[in-house]
């Protein structure tokens, strides 16, 4: 921190962490607030993030960090798209933490177009690549949808077209205070989790993918604590490690928080009427290749990418309040397969591609 006393106070926090202590949510909010104001030198920030990562971050620390970032966030109008959203079941976000290191194609971005094609209002939050080769913002730019900094235009786009892409740097400028340190460290930190929990449109319906199964319950709890009422936090297991989305390469796990209920689920692709496929079949390339593959998918290309998106869109429909996939607190294969069929029809009819075209057109107006 810039003042000598503040630096000493932060050093005291570091000593506590090195000794294995944890932070309360209030302490975490204060410390991350100082970090995001640029008051913490890079050397101390690196030590702080490393100490948390080595000891293992807690749910309370995550809650405090999210509150700090939301406090610095540049949000859309809270009522952006509210009238149309109320009629269609609410605005939804589909977003992954990244950080799984598998270099896959852009699943959540493609899922957003499918949901929009089905009439679900989507406020898709995302950023540029940090741990992958092509983040949501990168691939959207290649598709002719540049990042938009004007909050009023974003709000209007959500209200009028039911689809808006929210580039994290414009809404979370405070995150730049940690960017250089995160890049230099080269491993996952608590910052990897913050973006998906801080949607600038204040959505309360969220399908969030996380890089580790251990974070499913904590992330779901934090979102519920902060007011979300339909949350699925998912993690897939593949032959090459964990992935931040529902996968065809193995079981997927979900922590669900909805209608005051809390429960966990295990999903297999066969439940959705889909074939298991290795994660290597979902491998992406550079941003140009990933954009090409996403547009080909929306134009009807078959394969693992399509089926993975269908799986995620089927659950996204449920999270949006449109079509359930549950019978009580268990998966209904019949309902899940019905949702997969709805998503497939959206792609086959061209409605998902039309959502892409509308998004392109909207940025020109």
């Amino acid at each position: 921190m810039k003042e000598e006393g503040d630096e000493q106070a932060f050093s005291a926090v570091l000593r506590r962490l090195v000794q294995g202590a944890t932070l309360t949510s209030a302490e975490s909010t204060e410390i991350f607030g100082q970090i995001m104001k640029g008051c913490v030198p890079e050397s101390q920030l690196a030590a702080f993030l490393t100490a948390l990562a080595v000891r293992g971050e807690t749910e309370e620390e995550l809650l405090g960090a999210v509150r700090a970032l939301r406090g610095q966030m540049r949000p859309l109008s809270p009522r952006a798209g509210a009238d149309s959203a109320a009629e269609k079941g609410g605005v939804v976000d589909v977003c992954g933490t990244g950080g799984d290191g598998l270099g896959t194609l852009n699943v959540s971005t493609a899922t957003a177009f499918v949901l929009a094609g089905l009439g679900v209002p989507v406020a898709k939050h995302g950023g540029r690549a940090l741990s992958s080769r092509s983040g949501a913002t990168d691939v959207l730019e290649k598709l002719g949808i540049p990042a938009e900094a004007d909050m009023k235009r974003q709000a209007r786009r959500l209200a009028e077209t039911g689809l808006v892409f929210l580039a994290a740097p414009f809404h979370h400028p405070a995150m730049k205070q940690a960017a250089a340190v995160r890049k230099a460290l080269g491993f996952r930190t608590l910052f990897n989790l913050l973006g998906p929990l801080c949607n600038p449109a204040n959505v309360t319906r969220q399908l969030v993918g996380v890089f580790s199964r251990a974070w499913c319950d904590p992330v779901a709890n934090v979102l519920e604590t902060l007011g979300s009422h339909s949350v699925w936090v998912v993690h897939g297991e593949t032959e090459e490690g964990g992935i931040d989305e529902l996968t065809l390469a193995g079981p997927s796990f979900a922590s669900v928080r909805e209608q005051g209920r809390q429960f966990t689920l295990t999903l297999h692709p066969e439940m959705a009427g889909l074939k298991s496929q290795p994660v290597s079949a979902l491998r992406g390339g550079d941003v140009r290749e990933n954009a090409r593959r996403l547009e080909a998918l929306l134009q009807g290309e078959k394969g693992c990418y399509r089926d993975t998106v269908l799986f995620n869109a089927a659950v996204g429909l449920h999270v949006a309040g449109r079509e359930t996939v549950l019978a009580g607190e268990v998966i209904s294969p019949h309902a899940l397969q019905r949702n997969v069929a709805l998503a497939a029809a959206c792609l086959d009819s061209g409605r998902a591609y039309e959502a892409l075209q509308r998004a392109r057109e909207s940025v020109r107006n």
Side-chain angles (χ1 to χ4, degrees), residues 270-344:
E270 293 79 10
M271 292 176 172
L274 301 168
K275 294 181 180 179
S276 296
Q277 299 191 54
V279 73
S280 59
L282 194 63
R283 194 83 69 214
D286 60 16
V287 62
R288 187 182 301 275
E289 171 64 10
N290 281 18
R292 185 192 68 80
R293 292 289 303 278
L294 198 158
E295 185 156 11
L297 163 72
L298 298 181
Q299 291 177 317
E301 185 174 81
K302 304 295 194 294
C304 180
Y305 190 16
R306 171 188 166 102
D307 288 353
T308 302
V309 170
L310 294 179
F311 199 8
N312 283 269
V315 171
L317 276 171
H318 173 94
V319 173
R322 296 293 295 274
E323 300 285 350
T324 186
V325 297
L326 297 177
E329 296 183 0
V330 298
I331 290 289
S332 164
H334 173 75
L336 185 59
Q337 289 170 30
R338 177 203 59 219
N339 281 13
V340 166
L342 290 171

Side-chain angles (χ1 to χ4, degrees), residues 5 44 48 86 99 170 177 237 297 301 322 339 349 355 358:
Q44 286 194 323
F48 174 72
F170 294 133
Q177 303 296 342
E237 292 292 339
L297 163 72
E301 185 174 81
R322 296 293 295 274
N339 281 13
S349 68
R358 287 196 302 274

